[in-house]
Amino acid sequence: MIKLNDSERIIALAGNPNVGKSTVFNYLTGMKQHTGNWAGKTVVNARGRYCFNNRDYILVDLPGTYSITAHSAEEEVARDFILNGGADATIVVCDATCLERNLNLVMQIMEITPNAIVCANLLDEAEKKSITIDIQALEKELGIPVVGTSARSGKGLTELMKRVEEVCAGTGARLTETAPLLNTSEIRWKNAERIASKVCIGCKTCSGCGKCGTSSVLNKRDRKLDKILTSRLTGIPIMLALLCIVFWITVTGAQYPSDLLFKVLFWVGDRLAALLHWFNVPEWFNELIIMGVYRVLAWVVAVMLPPMAIFFPLFTLLEDFGYLPRVAFNLDHHFKKAKACGKQALTMCMGFGCNAAGVTGCRIIDSPRERLIAIITNNFVICNGRFPTLIAIISMFFVGMAGGVFDTLLSALILTGVIILGVILTFLISRLLSETILKGEPSSFTLELPPYRTPQIGRVIVRSVFDRTLFVLGRAVAVAVPAGLVIWLLANIKAGDISLLNHCSSFIDPFARIFGLDGVILLAFILGFPANEIVFPIIIMSYMSAGSILEIESLTELRALLTNNGWTWVTAVSTMMFCLCHWPCSTACLTIKKETGGVKWVGVSMLVPTVTGLIICFIFTTAVRLSGLI
Amino acid sequence: MLIKNLTNMCVGESAQVALLLNKGSIRTRLEDLGLIPGTRIHCIHKSPYGDPVAYEIRGAVIALRSDDAKGVLLNNND
């Protein structure tokens, strides 16, 4: 976003992680940037606009940092923007419940810009902890404007906009001189302690107030929760159980809406076909639109929408609650063994939604070597484009399709198993990379465990449905339409007696069979490169073009279609394994290129999971064949 | 007399930082979190495998791997 005219002001929004920066940003700009309860949520500078007193302001949300002394990429971004990005003013958002800790960044920013405004946020939470901040005293100590806010409810934000206006106009309090990062951190902290002890009343967390000997238990509820969620005995089991429960709710809850959507969408499809027929549209065109484009679209919507609309809100609830950093805390031991960074667990969590997002999220890892490892292995996390394929295969081949409680529980367990396999592969491959092309020792890092927050359930649901679910679905639909068209053409343009699609699939069929797949499945994965969501529709369409079944209205019929085409449980397992381990989709590949700055790492990121998948499928299929199980 | 470092702390204990031996970016990072000589630090809890360990530093809960925690020396007098 660039300035539309000269009267616009650019305002930088800085602050420590987890102080409600994104909440302030969203409230002011009315934008719906996703907020999450963990450090590193904002890895790219989000930009938004707001208007105050007939003047437009561009607000730039910088990544949350403890400092701008630039020892990581995100801190460099923050510092460079404040120094050289032409920011007219910088708002430093602070957490009123532990002001002292935030003052370090305030002082660093005051050293590089005279136009800073402090926003003491989370006053509501401070009040709950009986902490009061003497805003006037703080303003006097710092010499710059200070505004107390509770961004969640919007309290104090009008005042904030007013003070920003004053600073931009040069009428507000501003510093007369800056001393570019000359102070040592010791001087800054001593200063912070002195100021905090003067302005914080009732605070037990600052060291300046001298009460800290008594504050070993900062927040009793949090420590109790941590004891349960991260202890030796219960930490890992609870993590797995939570994962399984999320999947169980997703699978169970998605079943009925999915069936209904299938029925409705296919009924509409039939009516559309009849309508086109009535208009005397040429038969081939009718087939192209209905059998090609519409059916693929209907499949993608019916199969993807319900699970996503359930999974995303559940996952967002865990995220808002502050659970994800605990996952990283629990798993760090394994990452250390793999000579990788513990924050990789966070990037993997992002990969659940979309691997491209996971790859971008790898910016939170400082060490370039460990960042590359995290990027290359992110594809071992099943993204939501691949979930529906897995769920469909699981319910068709391994669980009764009656859909009882036990069936869905078993589905969830199998799905959890696949995820765990992906996590184990991540550890192994990370280790392998650390020993070979990305040799090195694990680097130092700090992981913040933020306070637990009660998620705002209503907002979480609305947000995750509108921002994530519909966004991802929209992208899938955008890919499905042209892909459906191309695939229908491939399936219906004949060379000799056989369609182009069949020519291709029978060409690679012998190769695919070595890995327990068949030519159609492998071709579907190849053609599914634009988006994983369309892999299964391609498989169906390829089989249907052979003319066995024309109407697919339920999973039972789909299963019949697959078994008629030679699917066994071995095919099902191999397909699931290959779904877990194959090249990233086109969006993820483009993101990898952007993030690593080269085609080389895209190649590695495509090869590593693909080779892994082929090896697993080969070993599995060969073992089953040798043991005579099929 | 044995010089204690962060990894010698038991869960529930608190101590005062004496000196940072860490070098490079982790040193700056720890200083940015407020870990300087004189800062009080509390050992809060250990992860399932005993490493990393979470410490409370100026109101924030920060997990450190033992390799990094080793470099933070503590005052012996408490």
Side-chain angles (χ1 to χ4, degrees):
Chain A
M1 196 182 287
I2 39 164
K3 275 191 183 190
L4 288 180
N5 57 58
D6 282 343
S7 71
E8 282 181 339
R9 306 280 190 218
I10 296 179
I11 313 295
L13 195 63
N16 286 4
N18 275 304
V19 292
K21 240 157 43 67
S22 295
T23 319
V24 172
F25 178 84
N26 287 339
Y27 195 94
L28 287 181
T29 62
M31 282 190 19
K32 289 169 185 66
Q33 179 172 217
H34 182 70
T35 58
N37 187 8
W38 48 283
K41 180 69 227 185
T42 313
V43 286
V44 277
N45 293 354
R47 281 159 188 246
R49 281 168 189 280
Y50 73 87
C51 184
F52 185 72
N53 280 349
N54 298 323
R55 191 188 280 276
D56 280 330
Y57 293 84
I58 298 174
L59 197 61
V60 182
D61 193 9
L62 301 174
T65 55
Y66 284 106
S67 121
I68 46 165
T69 47
H71 38 258
S72 77
E74 46 188 343
E75 287 176 26
E76 211 169 312
V77 167
R79 190 190 57 178
D80 284 354
F81 188 82
I82 297 168
L83 262 177
N84 314 318
D88 293 295
T90 303
I91 302 173
V92 195
V93 185
C94 293
D95 178 354
T97 65
C98 48
L99 192 65
E100 179 195 288
R101 174 159 65 101
N102 294 260
L103 286 177
N104 180 50
L105 181 68
V106 172
M107 280 183 277
Q108 286 188 356
I109 287 176
M110 283 165 57
E111 286 169 31
I112 63 168
T113 173
N115 297 329
I117 299 114
V118 169
C119 163
N121 194 28
L122 300 177
L123 276 187
D124 42 355
E125 278 189 33
E127 202 176 316
K128 272 187 214 151
K129 293 180 180 172
S130 352
I131 299 166
T132 352
I133 307 285
D134 187 340
I135 301 285
Q136 264 104 40
L138 184 58
E139 203 166 275
K140 217 173 125 201
E141 285 292 336
L142 292 172
I144 56 170
V146 179
V147 184
T149 61
S150 310
R152 273 193 181 203
S153 55
K155 221 172 120 188
L157 290 176
T158 315
E159 169 76 7
L160 180 66
M161 288 189 276
K162 207 180 114 213
R163 303 299 285 270
V164 169
E165 183 188 35
E166 285 170 10
V167 168
C168 288
T171 54
R174 71 195 287 280
L175 298 172
T176 44
E177 56 179 323
T178 54
L181 300 172
L182 278 179
N183 288 328
T184 65
S185 42
E186 234 175 304
I187 295 177
R188 284 191 207 109
W189 280 111
K190 292 292 168 213
N191 222 344
E193 283 170 16
R194 185 183 56 78
I195 295 174
S197 67
K198 272 193 191 166
V199 302
C200 303
I201 301 146
C203 174
K204 292 188 176 65
T205 59
C206 307
S207 35
C209 62
K211 292 176 188 162
C212 284
T214 58
S215 79
S216 69
V217 182
L218 175 72
N219 183 329
K220 281 199 176 119
R221 188 193 67 149
D222 279 14
R223 296 293 77 79
K224 263 188 204 155
L225 275 170
D226 270 340
K227 225 173 212 165
I228 301 166
L229 295 176
T230 65
S231 83
R232 182 185 290 267
L233 263 180
T234 52
I236 306 267
I238 287 182
M239 200 174 73
L240 296 179
L242 275 174
L243 193 65
C244 192
I245 290 170
V246 167
F247 287 141
W248 186 44
I249 298 175
T250 307
V251 173
T252 316
Q255 219 170 29
Y256 181 71
S258 250
D259 283 351
L260 193 71
L261 271 174
F262 255 114
K263 289 210 175 78
V264 170
L265 289 174
F266 277 87
W267 181 85
V268 171
D270 289 345
R271 297 291 88 77
L272 271 177
L275 190 70
L276 288 178
H277 199 74
W278 188 73
F279 276 118
N280 277 329
V281 172
E283 198 54 34
W284 65 269
F285 185 77
N286 193 338
E287 287 234 332
L288 171 74
I289 295 298
I290 301 302
M291 305 296 276
V293 177
Y294 184 82
R295 288 251 164 113
V296 172
L297 200 64
W299 162 272
V300 168
V301 172
V303 160
M304 282 191 64
L305 182 60
M308 281 195 321
I310 299 170
F311 179 80
F312 277 146
L314 287 177
F315 203 77
T316 313
L317 280 183
L318 284 179
E319 189 180 338
D320 273 23
F321 177 55
Y323 185 64
L324 300 193
R326 271 75 188 182
V327 172
F329 186 58
N330 283 340
L331 291 179
D332 180 63
H333 175 79
H334 295 292
F335 283 111
K336 188 181 170 187
K337 270 192 168 167
K339 302 185 176 179
C341 179
K343 287 186 194 167
Q344 196 174 328
L346 294 173
T347 66
M348 287 164 71
C349 289
M350 275 185 272
F352 270 125
C354 168
N355 290 131
V359 168
T360 311
C362 290
R363 288 183 194 176
I364 59 173
I365 298 170
D366 294 338
S367 145
R369 184 186 74 84
E370 290 164 5
R371 225 183 98 194
L372 275 172
I373 291 178
I375 288 176
I376 294 168
T377 54
N378 195 270
N379 203 45
F380 288 116
V381 181
I382 302 266
C383 69
N384 67 77
R386 290 182 276 167
F387 270 121
T389 308
L390 287 179
I391 294 173
I393 296 178
I394 290 170
S395 30
M396 278 187 290
F397 284 88
F398 302 102
V399 184
M401 279 175 293
V405 174
F406 288 105
D407 289 349
T408 48
L409 189 61
L410 193 59
S411 295
L413 277 171
I414 297 175
L415 196 54
T416 312
V418 177
I419 302 295
I420 293 172
L421 180 68
V423 174
I424 293 172
L425 283 172
T426 304
F427 292 141
L428 290 177
I429 301 294
S430 299
R431 177 72 201 250
L432 188 71
L433 290 169
S434 294
E435 301 285 354
T436 53
I437 52 170
L438 288 165
K439 233 182 183 63
E441 290 306 309
S443 69
S444 303
F445 81 104
T446 56
L447 174 73
E448 174 162 17
L449 304 179
Y452 291 101
R453 295 221 170 99
T454 317
Q456 295 169 300
I457 295 175
R459 247 185 45 190
V460 161
I461 292 173
V462 172
R463 275 283 178 69
S464 45
V465 167
F466 284 96
D467 297 355
R468 294 175 107 166
T469 311
L470 292 185
F471 173 76
V472 172
L473 189 73
R475 212 185 55 196
V477 166
V479 175
V481 171
L485 197 74
V486 169
I487 293 152
W488 188 87
L489 288 174
L490 278 177
N492 285 278
I493 295 174
K494 311 246 164 153
D497 267 349
I498 310 166
S499 71
L500 288 179
L501 197 65
N502 283 355
H503 270 302
C504 296
S505 62
S506 41
F507 178 70
I508 55 172
D509 193 67
F511 176 74
R513 298 233 173 240
I514 303 173
F515 306 101
L517 309 169
D518 66 21
V520 168
I521 304 170
L522 189 57
L523 186 66
F525 276 112
I526 295 170
L527 292 175
F529 180 64
N532 282 298
E533 290 87 346
I534 59 171
V535 168
F536 226 76
I538 298 176
I539 295 180
I540 300 170
M541 222 192 282
S542 311
Y543 288 147
M544 289 209 304
S545 69
S548 37
I549 292 183
L550 286 169
E551 295 282 323
I552 302 290
E553 285 179 7
S554 71
L555 283 179
T556 324
E557 285 169 49
L558 186 55
R559 183 175 197 270
L561 174 73
L562 296 178
T563 47
N564 284 344
N565 280 282
W567 275 55
T568 61
W569 66 273
V570 181
T571 325
V573 172
S574 298
T575 309
M576 281 166 63
M577 290 302 112
F578 200 67
C579 181
L580 173 66
C581 320
H582 69 287
W583 51 86
C585 74
S586 57
T587 317
C589 283
L590 282 175
T591 315
I592 294 170
K593 181 164 179 283
K594 207 176 109 207
E595 292 298 309
T596 60
V599 188
K600 182 187 161 196
W601 294 112
V602 180
V604 175
S605 308
M606 290 180 83
L607 268 179
V608 166
T610 309
V611 171
T612 313
L614 289 178
I615 292 174
I616 292 176
C617 288
F618 176 74
I619 293 176
F620 170 74
T621 315
T622 314
V624 173
R625 278 179 189 153
L626 289 179
S627 64
L629 281 171
I630 49 162
Chain B
M1 194 171 66
L2 203 73
I3 297 172
K4 279 176 75 173
N5 64 44
L6 269 192
T7 59
N8 303 123
M9 280 173 92
C10 297
V11 170
E13 264 186 347
S14 82
Q16 205 171 35
V17 175
L19 188 66
L20 259 69
L21 297 180
N22 310 63
K23 297 254 178 320
S25 71
I26 184 69
R27 185 191 179 94
T28 332
R29 194 163 277 286
L30 292 175
E31 285 174 349
D32 285 338
L33 291 169
L35 211 66
I36 53 166
T39 306
R40 282 213 81 81
I41 185 162
H42 304 273
C43 182
I44 301 229
H45 60 258
K46 297 193 169 174
S47 63
Y49 297 94
D51 183 24
V53 176
Y55 304 92
E56 185 201 318
I57 306 167
R58 295 184 195 253
V61 179
I62 307 287
L64 296 176
R65 281 182 181 169
S66 58
D67 293 342
D68 302 320
K70 266 195 313 222
V72 182
L73 303 188
L74 303 172
N75 275 338
N76 262 330
N77 50 16
D78 51 6

